[in-house]
């Protein structure tokens, strides 16, 4: 059996959490990540028959039975993942009852998965139903995106349109737009269900006055989606108090989407 600390998925988790922490998107224990792993790959590092303990999830994830995820721990700091992955991360498998997580590795101090597991696993189910290659869900608190929540309407057409206007590449990177939820109590099944409903339509969902969720095939893709929104939000926050002299027109955004061959939310443009 290979040493799990050398596994590529552990390296990816260490690198992405450190990177996000340094960007200021994950203060204290802010943010969480879940990443679906191939059973055959995990089997190179762990005895899949050795369940360390079981942890109830509090909801049923039928379509994820038998699936394995590496998930950040609740209350754990992204800042600390690099130096102690075994305490700050865990590898769980959804048991045959669909509602129990079998711990295969990690949470070494007796901890458990993120309090946002409902939003993560429900989002995985929603994304997999429209994109069977989806593997990653990331939640974080990016500074400018969050700032924008306080000064911009939380209407998803208006919010997406403003972001698309801020950087030429936005409509190409997230042509499906950004879903927006109002402020809601976090860490429960209700916000999980609301997030998953949006995830049927969007790979990005803003949690009003809280943060953002992104979903994608890889860590890179998912990070890149959030990074692009955050960059656009930063440009917005740098310019929103100044007279706007120039802008990217809706007809130009349409031109971009067509030139790059992406399927975009036409109803989010005013053509
Ligand atoms: P956890 O520490 O439970 O992952 O929660 C952090 C967070 O961002 C809540 O939304
Ligand atoms: Zn959060």
């Amino acid at each position: 059996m290979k040493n799990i600390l050398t596994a590529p998925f552990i390296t990816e988790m260490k690198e992405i959490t450190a990177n996000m922490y340094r960007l200021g998107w994950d203060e204290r224990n802010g943010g969480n990540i879940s990443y679906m792993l191939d059973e055959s790959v995990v089997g190179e590092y762990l005895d899949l028959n050795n369940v360390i303990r079981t942890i109830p999830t509090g909801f049923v994830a039928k379509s994820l039975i038998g699936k394995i995820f590496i998930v950040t721990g609740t209350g754990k700091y992204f800042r600390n993942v690099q130096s102690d992955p075994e305490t700050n991360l865990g590898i769980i498998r959804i048991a045959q009852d669909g509602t129990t997580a079998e711990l295969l590795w990690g949470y070494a101090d007796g901890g458990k998965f993120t309090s946002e597991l409902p939003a993560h696993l429900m989002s995985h189910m929603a994304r997999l139903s429209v994109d069977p290659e989806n593997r990653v869900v990331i939640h974080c608190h990016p500074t400018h995106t969050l700032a924008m929540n306080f000064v911009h309407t939380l209407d998803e057409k208006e919010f997406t349109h403003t972001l698309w206007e801020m950087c030429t590449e936005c409509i190409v990177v997230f042509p499906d737009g950004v879903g927006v939820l109002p402020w809601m109590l976090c860490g429960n099944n209700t916000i999980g269900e609301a997030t998953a409903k949006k995830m049927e339509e969007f790979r990005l969902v803003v949690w009003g006055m809280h943060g953002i969720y992104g979903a994608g095939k890889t860590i890179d893709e998912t990070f890149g989606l959030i990074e692009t929104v955050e960059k656009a939000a930063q440009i917005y926050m740098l310019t929103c108090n100044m007279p706007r002299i120039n802008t990217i027109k809706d007809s130009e955004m349409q031109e971009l989407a067509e030139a790059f061959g992406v399927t975009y939310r036409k109803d989010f443009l005013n053509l």
Side-chain angles (χ1 to χ4, degrees), residues 85-103:
E86 196 164 357
T87 300
N88 295 289
L89 304 174
I91 295 179
I92 58 168
R93 178 174 57 205
I94 304 305
Q96 286 307 311
D97 65 2
T99 180
T100 303
E102 299 172 328
L103 182 64

Side-chain angles (χ1 to χ4, degrees), residues 189-210:
N189 291 353
T190 307
I191 199 168
E193 283 153 12
T195 309
K197 188 88 203 97
K198 293 286 181 200
M199 282 281 182
E200 291 170 6
E201 211 180 324
F202 302 102
R203 290 172 299 158
L204 289 156
V205 179
V206 164
W207 277 8
M209 278 82 71
H210 179 142

Side-chain angles (χ1 to χ4, degrees), residues 9-252:
F9 51 83
I10 298 280
T11 306
E12 279 185 284
M13 289 295 281
K14 281 164 48 175
E15 286 178 357
I16 194 70
T17 48
N19 197 355
M20 291 173 71
Y21 169 68
R22 284 194 200 97
L23 286 164
W25 303 352
D26 298 278
E27 72 291 343
R28 199 175 183 273
N29 64 310
N32 20 78
I33 300 177
S34 59
Y35 179 7
M36 196 168 108
L37 305 174
D38 270 0
E39 188 184 270
S40 60
V41 175
V42 182
E44 294 174 26
Y45 301 92
L46 295 176
D47 173 2
L48 298 175
N49 294 315
N50 182 30
V51 175
I52 300 168
R53 56 192 158 97
T54 56
I55 314 168
T57 65
F59 60 96
V60 181
K62 226 174 171 184
S63 60
L64 298 179
I65 289 173
K67 301 288 186 207
I68 298 174
F69 295 86
I70 186 161
V71 185
T72 52
T74 185
K76 298 296 190 261
Y77 296 18
F78 273 25
R79 185 167 65 79
N80 295 333
V81 172
Q82 211 157 30
S83 59
D84 188 1
E86 196 164 357
T87 300
N88 295 289
L89 304 174
I91 295 179
I92 58 168
R93 178 174 57 205
I94 304 305
Q96 286 307 311
D97 65 2
T99 180
T100 303
E102 299 172 328
L103 182 64
L104 301 176
W105 176 85
Y107 307 141
D109 61 353
K112 63 182 264 190
F113 43 74
T114 172
S115 60
E116 306 296 4
L117 195 74
H120 278 259
L121 293 195
M122 292 177 194
S123 292
H124 277 283
M125 290 191 274
R127 286 310 306 163
L128 286 166
S129 71
V130 290
D131 175 10
E133 288 179 19
N134 195 84
R135 293 291 176 273
V136 177
V137 173
I138 297 179
H139 165 61
C140 58
H141 307 158
T143 314
H144 300 90
T145 306
L146 204 39
M148 186 173 162
N149 281 205
F150 291 87
V151 297
H152 193 283
T153 67
L154 293 179
D155 174 88
E156 56 203 13
K157 173 180 172 173
E158 289 171 10
F159 200 88
T160 300
H161 189 272
T162 298
L163 292 172
W164 280 354
E165 275 182 311
M166 292 299 123
C167 304
T168 291
E169 299 205 333
C170 277
I171 195 168
V172 179
V173 174
F174 53 96
D176 39 349
V178 178
V180 181
L181 289 176
W183 184 91
M184 291 175 77
L185 185 64
C186 57
N188 58 37
N189 291 353
T190 307
I191 199 168
E193 283 153 12
T195 309
K197 188 88 203 97
K198 293 286 181 200
M199 282 281 182
E200 291 170 6
E201 211 180 324
F202 302 102
R203 290 172 299 158
L204 289 156
V205 179
V206 164
W207 277 8
M209 278 82 71
H210 179 142
I212 194 165
Y213 268 77
K217 295 175 178 50
T218 61
I219 294 265
D220 263 359
E221 183 190 75
T222 314
F223 175 80
L225 283 170
I226 296 172
E227 185 180 33
T228 307
V229 166
E230 172 61 0
K231 178 64 177 273
Q234 182 172 13
I235 308 288
Y236 177 74
M237 293 309 297
L238 285 169
T239 55
C240 67
N241 280 326
M242 299 175 192
R244 179 104 55 100
I245 296 170
N246 300 306
T247 197
I248 303 171
K249 298 187 196 78
D250 283 46
S251 59
E252 291 167 337

